[in-house]
Amino acid sequence: MKAVVMAGGEGTRLRPMTANQPKPLLPIINRPIMEHVLRLLKRHGFTETVVTVQFLAALIRNYFGDGDELGMTLHYATEEVPLGTAGSVKNAADKLRDDRFLVISGDALTDIDLTDMLRFHRENRALVTIGLKRVPNPLEFGIIIVDDSGRIQRFLEKPTWGQVFSDTVNTGIYIMEPSVLDEIAPGQSVDWSSDIFPDMLERGCRLFGYVAEGYWEDVGTHESYLKAQADVLEGKVKVDFDAFELAPGVWAAEGASVDPEAVLKGPLYIGDYAKVEAGAELREYTVLGSNAVVKEGAFLHRAVVSDNVYVGPAAHLRGCVIGKNTDVMTGARIEENAVVGDECVIEAEAYVSSGVKIYPFKTIEAGTVVNTSVIWESRGQRSLFGPRGVSGLVNVEITPELCVRLASAYATTLRKGDTVVTSRDASRAARALKRAVISALNSSAINVVDLEAAALPVARFNTSRENVRGGIALRTTAGDPQSVDIVFMDETGADLSQATQRKLERVFSRQEYRRAFPGEIAELTFPARAVDTYARELLACIDMSGVKDTEMKVVVDCAGGTSSLVLPSLLGRAGVDVLTVNNRLDDASPTETLAERRRDLQRLAELVASARAAFGVRFDPVGERVSLVDEMGQLISEERALLVVLDLVAAERRGGRVALPVTTTRVAEMVCRFHGVQVDWTATSLDTLTRAARHPDTIFAGDGKGGFIVPEFAPTVDGLAVFLRLLGLVARTRLSLSQIDARIPEAKLLKRTVPTPWAHKGAVMRSVVEAAEGHRLDTTDGVRVVEDDGSWALVLPDPAEAVTHLWAEGHDMDTAQALLERWAHVVEQAAGAH
């Protein structure tokens, strides 16, 4: 007599454990569920078995082979498409025609007496005998009623409580006569309990139910998976596992190494060649896979740890499942019902909350608090905020659900009844996601003034108005049309400070969001003249004297972005002859690739030269940053553009202060000194630059990346404001941009980026400080090492990526190159040595 093991299921409810392996291969005490099933068949004399496979079939065939290692003969019947429980058996019909056969699921743990079930089948001359089990909660199973003789009276698949008429459920174990195969149409997807059996029952076929006394657990959920492990350890189910008892209930397989100073409280299981160090504590129902390592101070309770897992010192695992080849680093905590997939890295001090699912091949950064499942993202990040706000792939990392949670966290940091300004760029993604943001703000008793599509400087200006406490703008990430940035602003319109970002992150990670009572749902309004107000205020603040007298001509490229909504209000009052290109909203291409940007800048340069314009300006798609072209049609690099505008401002003001990031060439200092202006060096983050721009004596600030601040108007980056200011400066100075550029010395500044693992960044910076002993150090941002001749090198770890940035400037390129090589060598050595 043959058996059929059904092993085609995906086990979707068990993901991520089944994300890259079929459900029958899930280990129970270090053996796949299906191996326990095959061993049960062998004990009851079933030595020839047909295995039906479909999902990841090759993995099952590779693991079990021809069955020789188990002392069995295995045949495989592969389904091209899922055929259902009956269809899959029909697919193997050519191997089952000779005699009655047994059908059993390859993903349920059981020790039911199959020999006694076969006796029952023969005595009742049954056509089909169904294995039955009484369970406390029958809702997830098919329930069956039998009469006193065991003959089946009624079926019902997965009932509601109102439909429950029995606690006796179908285990999916059947003994059948070969003629039953004729009931199934070939190649069709059909199930036994919902299609074939009810039809046979209606025709009066002899269907019997055998109520089994043994153990049976359908391993269909994470809870039942953990329960099955515990039941094996408690001896509730008879299965084979190779181990010896170190102490009562403490089982260790061959080659396991357990330090005498480890604390073990059974029942628990330690796999072959696993290692448990002194000071580790393993509590009840813990299962360690083969070659697992548990370091000192680690604590595991009801944790199921797969093969080749590393559990670092002081890690804390409770009621969770850890997939194969995963590293859980020092001090990480993984809570109840969390599941970590295969090949993941949970870095030091990370916290994975209860119920969170982390899919395979993910990295959870050190110190991260993970409250939601990490499915599509490549990593769980320690910090929400990057250099552009909260950024990520649309509908993968930045979803409507995330927007709701983020906006709810932001609202919780404000008072009920406060007002927030919202805006977006031209993209459809930003439009859709902004609606989620607005809903969350209103639901948290925050009034919203929505600017709809607006240039970012307009949004910042309106956020800085009276009675507004903050702003949220959504924009497509520069250069990446698949990603979006969510920019959070304070009451001045500037990006949130680091301290406020951390406060928002704490609320977000704890998920302690404030909700409005029904009568407190706030208002949504749409201001009528936001752009006109911005343009009027801007023109009132910027010195435009001399512009009309020069009859100046300029070329402006709006890049298909939101600056095209503002320029008509500005240019009509500015008194210049303007040629505009890409002067429309482009919702299909809301950002630009590097190649597209270069192409458009080349076109702008050609237009400036042919039109004999004074200069050309290209705004980024949100109107915040600018690129400059001189009157000769030559593109001015971002670094040179900073020096050119700085020279114009300093020459006119002849006093005051300018704010510049420490990465700026010290040629800027020479320009300022020549004009009697003082430099305030700041950190590279935008919020420190904007904070410095608020100083009453500040006349200019720039970040060297096309971002300029016009302090007399606002302490925030504003491409439209610097464009107007440039018009006035060029008109009054009577010098062209190329003439100004020519009188500024060339910078001898080089930059390099060195890959640096997150865990090594602190050690790298320590090594830099040690290597710089005896030199003058500047720690405004990173470590800047100043040589006696004034040349310098700056080492700065990136806040968002696993890299370290280096700058070096000398009196000539050879000096700068030598400096860069020297400090790059220090960084590379430190990054690789730890």
Side-chain angles (χ1 to χ4, degrees):
M1 183 172 165
K2 293 178 183 174
V4 179
V5 175
M6 293 187 290
E10 285 191 44
T12 52
R13 290 180 298 165
L14 283 162
R15 288 178 183 162
M17 293 155 57
T18 54
N20 54 355
Q21 69 177 336
K23 183 179 169 187
L25 288 185
L26 284 182
I28 301 283
I29 312 297
N30 274 28
R31 277 187 177 154
I33 305 173
M34 185 173 144
E35 184 172 340
H36 291 301
V37 171
L38 291 173
R39 287 174 180 270
L40 173 69
L41 291 171
K42 174 83 182 307
R43 286 201 301 270
H44 289 277
F46 294 88
T47 56
E48 190 168 356
T49 297
V50 180
V51 182
T52 68
V53 288
Q54 196 266 321
F55 176 68
L56 297 177
L59 296 182
I60 292 176
R61 283 196 297 267
N62 291 343
Y63 186 92
F64 292 104
D66 61 6
D68 186 56
E69 286 189 19
L70 293 170
M72 304 177 74
T73 301
L74 299 185
H75 309 281
Y76 295 93
T78 305
E79 301 164 48
E80 299 302 323
V81 294
L83 294 173
T85 54
S88 64
V89 176
K90 177 71 172 184
N91 190 49
D94 60 326
K95 301 178 180 71
L96 302 171
R97 289 290 183 192
D98 305 338
D99 195 0
R100 68 173 62 98
F101 56 89
L102 178 139
V103 177
I104 189 168
S105 172
D107 52 25
L109 186 67
T110 183
D111 61 4
I112 285 173
D113 189 339
L114 302 179
T115 303
D116 193 56
M117 183 175 170
L118 181 58
R119 174 200 58 76
F120 177 88
H121 176 82
R122 285 178 176 144
E123 287 178 359
N124 287 286
R125 293 178 290 108
L127 192 59
V128 177
T129 297
I130 300 175
L132 305 178
K133 190 82 176 83
R134 294 193 169 96
V135 297
N137 182 0
L139 296 189
E140 287 298 313
F141 308 103
I143 59 176
I144 294 175
I145 282 188
V146 295
D147 63 15
D148 291 341
S149 68
R151 191 154 183 171
I152 291 173
Q153 304 294 304
R154 189 176 171 194
F155 285 98
L156 184 63
E157 270 299 291
K158 297 188 178 177
T160 64
W161 275 119
Q163 297 172 312
V164 168
F165 48 75
S166 170
D167 65 350
T168 309
V169 303
N170 179 358
T171 64
I173 303 173
Y174 313 123
I175 296 175
M176 299 179 175
E177 298 302 313
S179 61
V180 174
L181 293 171
D182 298 332
E183 303 281 339
I184 310 165
Q188 293 187 13
S189 179
V190 284
D191 286 322
W192 292 116
S193 48
S194 56
D195 301 313
I196 304 301
F197 293 159
D199 184 54
M200 293 176 69
L201 188 66
E202 198 172 309
R203 300 201 323 267
C205 297
R206 293 181 66 80
L207 271 62
F208 281 77
Y210 171 79
V211 181
E213 294 298 322
Y215 177 94
W216 176 81
E217 180 70 44
D218 175 47
V219 184
T221 64
H222 294 107
E223 292 76 18
S224 61
Y225 179 70
L226 289 171
K227 179 179 181 296
Q229 307 271 5
D231 289 344
V232 172
L233 290 171
E234 285 198 326
K236 291 182 178 179
V237 52
K238 300 186 191 75
V239 298
D240 299 329
F241 60 91
D242 296 328
F244 55 93
E245 211 167 1
L246 282 180
V250 177
W251 299 91
E254 179 188 355
S257 170
V258 181
D259 193 282
E261 298 299 314
V263 179
L264 308 176
K265 296 184 180 178
L268 58 85
Y269 175 87
I270 300 167
D272 51 313
Y273 301 100
K275 182 179 181 182
V276 182
E277 291 192 352
E281 183 173 355
L282 273 56
R283 300 287 300 267
E284 297 87 350
Y285 309 121
T286 289
V287 175
L288 286 190
S290 302
N291 303 305
V293 175
V294 180
K295 303 294 282 185
E296 59 180 339
F299 175 88
L300 288 78
H301 185 204
R302 288 183 294 109
V304 176
V305 173
S306 301
D307 296 348
N308 305 308
V309 167
Y310 171 87
V311 181
H316 190 107
L317 280 59
R318 186 186 292 274
C320 57
V321 179
I322 310 296
K324 298 189 293 288
N325 304 311
T326 286
D327 293 337
V328 181
M329 308 307 279
T330 304
R333 290 181 67 94
I334 304 176
E335 296 292 359
E336 298 276 347
N337 298 316
V339 181
V340 179
D342 298 345
E343 310 265 355
C344 290
V345 178
I346 312 299
E347 292 186 350
E349 306 293 333
Y351 180 88
V352 179
S353 296
S354 176
V356 164
K357 310 289 185 283
I358 296 174
Y359 274 58
F361 312 109
K362 304 291 187 263
T363 296
I364 304 302
E365 292 181 359
T368 305
V369 176
V370 183
N371 285 317
T372 56
S373 295
V374 179
I375 300 172
W376 302 108
E377 305 92 324
S378 61
R379 61 197 301 113
Q381 292 185 321
R382 175 200 306 100
S383 172
L384 270 175
F385 286 87
R388 301 176 305 273
V390 179
S391 305
L393 288 167
V394 173
N395 276 343
V396 175
E397 292 165 313
I398 305 292
T399 61
E401 297 89 339
L402 178 82
C403 289
V404 167
R405 295 198 306 272
L406 271 173
S408 298
Y410 182 58
T412 304
T413 66
L414 307 176
R415 293 191 301 268
K416 284 186 177 183
D418 281 345
T419 298
V420 165
V421 170
T422 59
S423 65
R424 62 173 175 87
D425 69 3
S427 70
R428 296 168 193 167
R431 179 171 57 196
L433 295 170
K434 180 165 66 66
R435 289 168 181 161
V437 167
I438 291 170
S439 297
L441 292 172
N442 284 164
S443 298
S444 302
I446 299 296
N447 296 305
V448 174
V449 175
D450 185 28
L451 304 182
E452 301 179 89
L456 201 46
V458 175
R460 292 189 187 279
F461 170 77
N462 280 273
T463 302
S464 67
R465 310 282 284 174
E466 284 184 32
N467 304 320
V468 176
R469 286 298 308 279
I472 301 177
L474 289 92
R475 55 163 292 179
T476 307
T477 302
D480 184 1
Q482 308 298 319
S483 297
V484 70
D485 304 332
I486 306 175
V487 180
F488 289 87
M489 295 174 262
D490 61 20
E491 66 274 8
T492 70
D495 289 5
L496 295 185
S497 67
Q498 300 279 346
T500 310
Q501 286 179 13
R502 282 194 292 272
K503 181 180 177 184
L504 194 157
E505 284 183 357
R506 282 196 298 272
V507 175
F508 179 83
S509 66
R510 293 196 302 261
Q511 301 190 62
E512 295 173 353
Y513 312 135
R514 183 186 67 224
R515 290 283 179 257
F517 296 113
E520 296 177 328
I521 303 297
E523 290 186 347
L524 169 62
T525 56
F526 302 91
R529 305 183 64 81
V531 170
D532 285 345
T533 306
Y534 166 82
R536 188 174 62 248
E537 291 278 339
L538 179 55
L539 286 161
C541 292
I542 303 292
D543 183 0
M544 300 291 290
S545 61
V547 173
K548 291 183 179 178
D549 300 334
T550 60
E551 298 182 357
M552 190 186 304
K553 182 189 289 186
V554 292
V555 183
V556 175
D557 184 348
C558 296
T562 45
S563 57
S564 61
L565 300 172
V566 190
L567 279 175
S569 300
L570 290 174
L571 296 175
R573 304 170 193 174
V576 288
D577 183 9
V578 178
L579 170 62
T580 57
V581 292
N582 294 319
N583 189 25
R584 84 254 177 252
L585 287 184
D586 187 350
D587 63 353
S589 301
T591 188
E592 59 207 351
T593 64
L594 185 58
E596 289 168 341
R597 182 169 178 270
R598 284 176 175 161
R599 180 199 66 203
D600 286 358
L601 282 170
Q602 181 61 39
R603 182 170 172 235
L604 175 65
E606 291 166 1
L607 286 170
V608 170
S610 61
R612 297 184 178 178
F615 62 90
V617 169
R618 187 173 198 271
F619 297 105
D620 72 0
V622 292
E624 196 166 44
R625 296 175 183 276
V626 295
S627 301
L628 298 181
V629 171
D630 68 21
E631 78 287 355
M632 311 287 288
Q634 295 295 316
L635 174 66
I636 305 174
S637 71
E638 290 176 338
E639 295 84 358
R640 294 299 291 179
L642 175 65
L643 295 174
V644 167
V645 180
L646 171 63
D647 186 57
L648 279 165
V649 173
E652 184 169 276
R653 291 296 187 90
R654 296 283 173 181
R657 311 159 78 97
V658 299
L660 301 170
V662 289
T663 52
T664 308
T665 170
R666 288 328 185 251
V667 171
E669 202 164 39
M670 295 165 56
V671 170
C672 290
R673 195 182 307 119
F674 182 79
H675 295 300
V677 174
Q678 182 180 334
V679 179
D680 291 335
W681 297 108
T682 75
T684 52
S685 65
L686 201 54
D687 69 287
T688 58
L689 193 67
T690 54
R691 198 160 56 243
R694 293 190 194 118
H695 191 284
D697 293 338
T698 301
I699 59 170
F700 172 80
D703 65 1
K705 301 172 185 174
F708 298 92
I709 295 173
V710 181
E712 59 262 38
F713 174 62
T716 52
V717 171
D718 189 331
L720 295 157
V722 79
F723 168 58
L724 285 192
R725 192 176 193 188
L726 199 54
L727 284 174
L729 289 166
V730 171
R732 290 189 296 275
T733 193
R734 304 283 180 174
L735 291 173
S736 67
L737 294 190
S738 66
Q739 289 172 319
I740 296 163
D741 190 11
R743 74 185 189 187
I744 300 170
E746 284 292 325
K748 307 297 190 297
L749 180 65
L750 298 173
K751 182 184 176 184
R752 184 180 296 181
T753 297
V754 177
T756 311
W758 280 102
H760 299 172
K761 284 189 175 183
V764 164
M765 298 312 290
R766 187 188 71 239
S767 299
V768 168
V769 171
E770 289 170 354
E773 188 176 355
H775 291 78
R776 183 161 62 87
L777 298 184
D778 172 9
T779 55
T780 302
D781 200 8
V783 175
R784 191 169 74 97
V785 185
V786 185
E787 302 286 337
D788 293 338
D789 64 355
S791 56
W792 57 273
L794 172 66
V795 181
L796 179 64
D798 191 287
E801 296 180 27
V803 296
T804 300
H805 301 294
L806 292 92
W807 288 261
E809 185 172 33
H811 302 296
D812 53 54
M813 281 308 217
D814 289 343
T815 306
Q817 186 66 46
L819 264 179
L820 190 67
E821 294 293 344
R822 176 188 166 194
W823 291 105
H825 179 68
V826 171
V827 171
E828 286 163 357
Q829 272 205 319
H834 290 84

